[in-house]
Amino acid sequence: MGPTRDAPVLAVEGLGKSFGSVRAVDDLTFSVRPGAVTGFLGPNGAGKTTTLRMLLGLTRPTAGRALVDGLPYAEHERPARVVGAALEASSFHPGRTGLGHLEVFAAQVGASNRRCRELIDFVGLGPAAERRVGGYSMGMRQRLGLATALLADPPAVVLDEPANGLDPEGIRWMRGLLRAFAAEGRTVLISSHVLSEVQHTVDDVVIIAHGRLVHASSLADLGALATPETYVESPAAGALAGLCDDRGWSRRADGAGLVVAGVPAAEIGAAAYAAGIELHQLVSRGVGLEDVFLRLTGGVR
Ligand SMILES: Nc1ncnc2c1ncn2[C@@H]1O[C@H](COP(=O)(O)OP(=O)(O)O)[C@@H](O)[C@H]1O
Ligand SMILES: [Mg+2]
């Protein structure tokens, strides 16, 4: 796969889609930069697939625009050469072999049969190339979807829930591949309903719930929203609890000690020292990103 110049920015502007009374996507605006992996995150039903379908010209927006390098997908002369995509992995013809499937798509995007053979090996489906897709596992379908997306060696890839059905080894493999694409300067957009599945893969996150944007930033900035907790243990447990209450710190019992939310260990240590309270443990605990994700996506509407 060659290095890539001028990979496209993917963007949606005031994008909306209603199915009857259901607002699947509602006034959504965000953009996805080249040279990074962006995670498009939200719970099931949040509107991820609908948004990606609009970006790929498969669903017509009822409001706003979805743009690939400033143009709607369908207005590109050879769109499949600009963005490779894998949407829901169930859309394969079950009677075709994996290789046969790739060859059908290759004809549409002007890729050779030799390229199909290379790709089927590249995604680890070499031994299953001649088997019918109907008998493929979910993980194998994901790999086939990825091979399809890569047929034209595109500068941008859009993958809908690529980690679904992959085992941990498969997820690690996919991660390496996507990180390598981004390092080549390509634009990579992947959706997931589970942040923890992609948190070691993505540089940026776009989080939606009920069709609306709830957060867009680097992964590092998302991490900063996690409130730290501190575990603290003292032989003078009553005095320690009293200190927390005096300071207005929220505390809960945990084993032999207390967990204090949102107060750094240094601040608790200093207060305990000043109050003459002996401490036997003082431990910072990060809060998982998944908690932040649930907090962000749970409270809308
Ligand atoms: N073709 C459709 N007809 C009617 N409702 C749809 C259609 N596609 C999606 N929806 C609805 O739009 C909402 C968003 O769905 P979807 O984009 O698939 O979410 P996600 O991919 O985040 O799980 C859901 O309420 C879903 O039921
Ligand atoms: Mg979906």
Side-chain angles (χ1 to χ4, degrees):
M1 319 243 152
T4 308
R5 259 164 271 129
D6 300 328
V9 170
L10 310 177
V12 306
E13 298 174 358
L15 190 68
K17 179 69 187 181
S18 296
F19 296 105
S21 62
V22 176
R23 277 198 184 177
V25 176
D26 191 2
D27 197 20
L28 194 56
T29 299
F30 66 86
S31 68
V32 178
R33 64 187 169 107
V37 180
T38 298
F40 185 38
L41 307 168
N44 283 323
K48 302 180 296 296
T49 298
T50 305
T51 300
L52 297 181
R53 289 180 60 83
M54 289 191 279
L55 198 53
L56 297 164
L58 298 168
T59 294
R60 185 189 292 271
T62 44
R65 304 190 300 166
L67 305 170
V68 174
D69 233 1
L71 272 186
Y73 180 89
E75 286 179 26
H76 284 267
E77 204 173 317
R78 309 187 74 178
R81 295 193 156 261
V82 184
V83 187
L87 290 176
E88 264 123 351
S90 52
S91 58
F92 301 114
H93 190 301
R96 275 193 199 127
T97 66
L99 188 59
H101 166 87
L102 269 192
E103 287 172 355
V104 167
F105 276 79
Q108 292 167 20
V109 302
S112 67
N113 283 359
R114 201 177 122 228
R115 169 102 182 129
C116 294
R117 187 77 234 184
E118 278 168 15
L119 272 174
I120 209 123
D121 289 334
F122 177 68
V123 300
L125 289 176
E130 316 294 344
R131 278 171 48 194
R132 283 163 190 251
V133 175
Y136 276 19
S137 70
M138 183 72 174
M140 291 166 82
R141 284 160 193 254
Q142 290 287 18
R143 288 169 186 265
L144 184 58
L146 181 66
T148 311
L150 300 184
L151 271 172
D153 197 18
V157 285
V158 171
L159 306 174
D160 196 12
E161 305 262 1
N164 258 4
L166 283 185
D167 54 21
E169 170 58 35
I171 290 181
R172 200 171 329 125
W173 166 79
M174 176 91 67
R175 173 179 308 149
L177 202 132
L178 297 177
R179 297 242 38 96
F181 279 171
E184 287 170 357
R186 297 183 210 240
T187 311
V188 182
L189 179 61
I190 58 171
S191 75
S192 177
H193 63 287
V194 192
L195 172 61
S196 55
E197 227 169 44
V198 298
Q199 83 179 73
H200 301 292
T201 307
V202 302
D203 304 291
D204 293 346
V205 292
V206 172
I207 302 176
I208 65 169
H210 302 291
R212 295 190 210 146
L213 187 74
V214 293
H215 183 89
S217 75
S218 66
L219 185 70
D221 285 355
L222 180 69
L225 294 180
T227 335
E229 292 184 341
T230 303
Y231 176 79
V232 57
E233 206 179 293
S234 168
L240 178 62
L243 176 72
C244 292
D245 296 346
D246 290 346
R247 303 270 172 146
W249 296 338
S250 103
R251 63 174 166 95
R252 64 172 195 271
D254 185 342
L258 292 176
V259 170
V260 183
V263 185
E267 193 176 336
I268 296 173
Y273 180 76
I277 298 172
E278 180 180 343
L279 298 185
H280 287 183
Q281 286 207 55
L282 182 62
V283 183
S284 293
R285 286 183 184 169
V287 164
L289 273 184
E290 200 68 29
D291 296 317
V292 179
F293 178 61
L294 291 175
R295 198 172 75 217
L296 284 170
T297 56
V300 180
R301 258 182 211 170

